[in-house]
Amino acid sequence: MNGECDGKCDSCSEANGCTDPRKEKYEEEQRLKLKMSRIKRKIAVISGKGGVGKSTVTVNLAMAFAMHGYVNRVGILDADITGPCVPKMIGLHGQRLQASPAGIFPALGPMGIKVVSMDFLLPSEEAPVIWRGPLKMRAISQFLSDIVWGELEFLFIDLPPGTGDEPLSIMQLIPEMDGVVIVTIASEVSQIVVKKAVTFSRKLGIPVIGVIENMSGFVCPKCGAEIDIFKVGGGKKIADDLSVPFLGRIPIDPEICRDSDNGVPFITEHADSSATKAFTEIVKKIERFLERKERLESPPKPSVPE
Ligand code: ADP
């Protein structure tokens, strides 16, 4: 270690023989940065609380993008440490990741979606994640820096529910996140947590792409009557109140639940359903958001007359 270590080993003449733990951390961060730089757009999916459909939305959005021109170019990082369920929803439950000297390779889902989940690290279905506190984050950071995603257009990150330490630490691990999609249901209780989620993203300086109201209304398959189980419109109202975009409403559809239990992405099986149509509209809005963001970040160069 150099006498006055600034934690930047690249510029240190004594880095070669250095045994300071900061060196290992620095190298890990550099590895993660390099691997993440090959992913064009990184989008986190968050919810103020659990059970509102965050993982369902992540899987179906990833699938929708893969189907709309990005086959083999989409990844999902299931970082919901406490209850990772993306592999089950996408038909990859029980898989193990392949490791090689180059790193760890994601599992391959439908349409070439690359999936990495904390679920793949668990020895058996019953085993909970037992890592705790700082050690847990250290293990996750090390794990992420070893993943070989390759070139991707989109990575969707399914964060742990809530706005506490865990989602915060994971967000901070991933460099240059493009934006956050917030999933909620319409009830007033959920609106309070959406407010927290927006504050959370703003504090981290990550733009809010918008709010999705999930489980929004239910059309009875028997009589066709529309029933507002969790109210309707709360997502739009809270988005307007907080001046963030509203991305759309996804209705309750019993097939969504059935398909995720069977490991089949809903939108590939039910192309004509209102929920799939809602997902398609949401994809368009996300694309517009990203295009606008990219235009603002790199405005077109003025043309120079010859
Ligand atoms: P979270 O990730 O927020 O904890 P999940 O995505 O795991 O929530 O969803 C919880 C349960 O609700 C799952 O069984 C899922 O299939 C179901 N679900 C989610 N969205 C819908 C919907 N729009 N219609 C019907 N069931 C849904």
Side-chain angles (χ1 to χ4, degrees), residues 9-261:
C9 308
D10 280 350
S11 53
C12 175
S13 58
E14 294 170 40
N16 264 347
C18 179
T19 53
D20 191 302
R22 277 175 292 185
K23 184 177 171 214
E24 197 189 325
K25 188 158 180 288
Y26 176 79
E27 288 174 346
E28 198 175 284
E29 278 167 14
Q30 297 306 307
R31 272 205 309 278
L32 184 62
K33 237 187 217 166
L34 187 70
K35 294 203 166 99
M36 286 288 158
S37 69
R38 302 186 66 198
I39 301 173
K40 198 164 166 204
R41 286 109 164 216
K42 297 176 269 296
I43 296 172
V45 184
I46 65 174
S47 65
K49 57 191 199 131
V52 297
K54 172 179 55 61
S55 301
T56 306
V57 167
T58 308
V59 165
N60 283 289
L61 280 184
M63 201 63 207
F65 273 97
M67 288 166 72
H68 289 101
Y70 299 106
V71 66
N72 297 326
R73 311 265 299 152
V74 178
I76 302 176
L77 170 61
D78 177 12
D80 188 345
I81 320 160
T82 41
C85 59
V86 168
K88 174 145 180 70
M89 290 180 169
I90 209 163
L92 294 173
H93 187 54
Q95 288 240 353
R96 286 283 165 259
L97 298 174
Q98 301 298 318
S100 83
I104 301 169
F105 289 86
L108 274 190
M111 307 291 290
I113 294 184
K114 293 182 178 172
V115 180
V116 168
S117 168
M118 298 301 145
D119 184 52
F120 296 144
L121 300 179
L122 299 181
S124 77
E125 207 158 309
E126 292 79 31
V129 176
I130 49 163
W131 306 328
R132 291 193 196 286
L135 273 188
K136 179 166 63 184
M137 276 309 146
R138 195 72 197 84
I140 291 171
S141 146
Q142 202 170 4
F143 173 57
L144 290 186
S145 69
D146 285 335
I147 307 289
V148 185
W149 293 101
E151 300 270 346
L152 286 185
E153 193 73 24
F154 292 97
L155 179 66
F156 290 90
I157 300 135
D158 185 0
L159 287 176
T163 48
D165 284 350
E166 269 177 9
L168 180 74
S169 308
I170 293 172
M171 287 278 255
Q172 284 171 333
L173 284 179
I174 313 235
E176 289 166 23
M177 196 86 85
D178 287 277
V180 165
V181 168
I182 301 172
V183 181
T184 187
I185 55 173
S187 72
E188 276 173 31
V189 180
S190 298
Q191 291 181 37
I192 297 167
V193 291
V194 169
K195 228 179 230 176
K196 283 194 188 164
V198 170
T199 311
F200 172 87
S201 312
R202 285 184 176 151
K203 270 195 186 145
L204 287 168
I206 302 170
V208 175
I209 301 178
V211 174
I212 295 176
E213 183 177 307
N214 188 30
M215 307 191 191
S216 175
F218 169 71
V219 179
C220 172
K222 294 222 170 89
C223 69
E226 198 169 338
I227 308 156
D228 295 345
I229 293 178
F230 294 116
K231 296 188 178 172
V232 163
K236 167 99 174 83
K237 183 179 177 308
I238 191 76
D240 289 348
D241 287 352
L242 297 168
S243 308
V244 293
F246 181 65
L247 295 176
R249 290 173 43 195
I250 299 164
I252 294 176
D253 186 330
E255 294 295 337
I256 292 185
C257 190
R258 214 162 294 144
D259 284 348
S260 60
D261 280 353

